[in-house]
Amino acid sequence: MGQEVCAAAPTPPYVQPPDARDSNRTVLLAIEEPAIRELLSVNMRSAGLHPVPVGSMNACVRLITDVRPDVVVIDIDSPEMADLAFTGQLGAEID
């Protein structure tokens, strides 16, 4: 008899557990590569963090004020945002 493996469904990006804001553990995860984004999300969840995965830097900029994450993890190799342009856009969104 083989052991069945059932993967948990990924958490929708806008759904936060009730204690996520209280524990200051929300991570906005802006990684373009789906496999890497999912791998990081799974590991963050297992560490007690609440990742909010997005597939682009533009999506990250749009969501920053709604999600209000404690940490933002970005893909520094993204062709979408060069050098420090991303941090400038984040600053403009937050102000």
Side-chain angles (χ1 to χ4, degrees):
M1 281 186 220
Q3 183 178 0
E4 288 187 37
V5 178
C6 181
T11 305
Y14 298 107
V15 177
Q16 293 185 359
D19 62 341
R21 292 298 343 150
D22 297 335
S23 64
N24 294 323
R25 297 180 180 177
T26 301
V27 179
L28 184 54
L29 183 60
I31 305 292
E32 290 183 7
E33 177 61 41
I36 294 172
R37 186 172 60 243
E38 181 60 22
L39 176 67
L40 290 172
S41 294
V42 167
N43 284 299
M44 287 179 180
R45 278 193 293 275
S46 70
L49 302 172
H50 177 70
V52 179
V54 295
S56 72
M57 297 301 179
N58 288 329
C60 181
V61 170
R62 287 191 308 270
L63 289 177
I64 194 79
T65 55
D66 294 336
V67 174
R68 303 295 295 179
D70 301 293
V71 176
V72 178
V73 177
I74 63 170
D75 182 354
I76 60 170
D77 289 333
S78 171
E80 205 172 322
M81 298 279 179
D83 302 322
L84 297 177
F86 176 73
T87 56
Q89 280 192 306
L90 278 182
E93 280 294 317
I94 293 171
D95 289 339

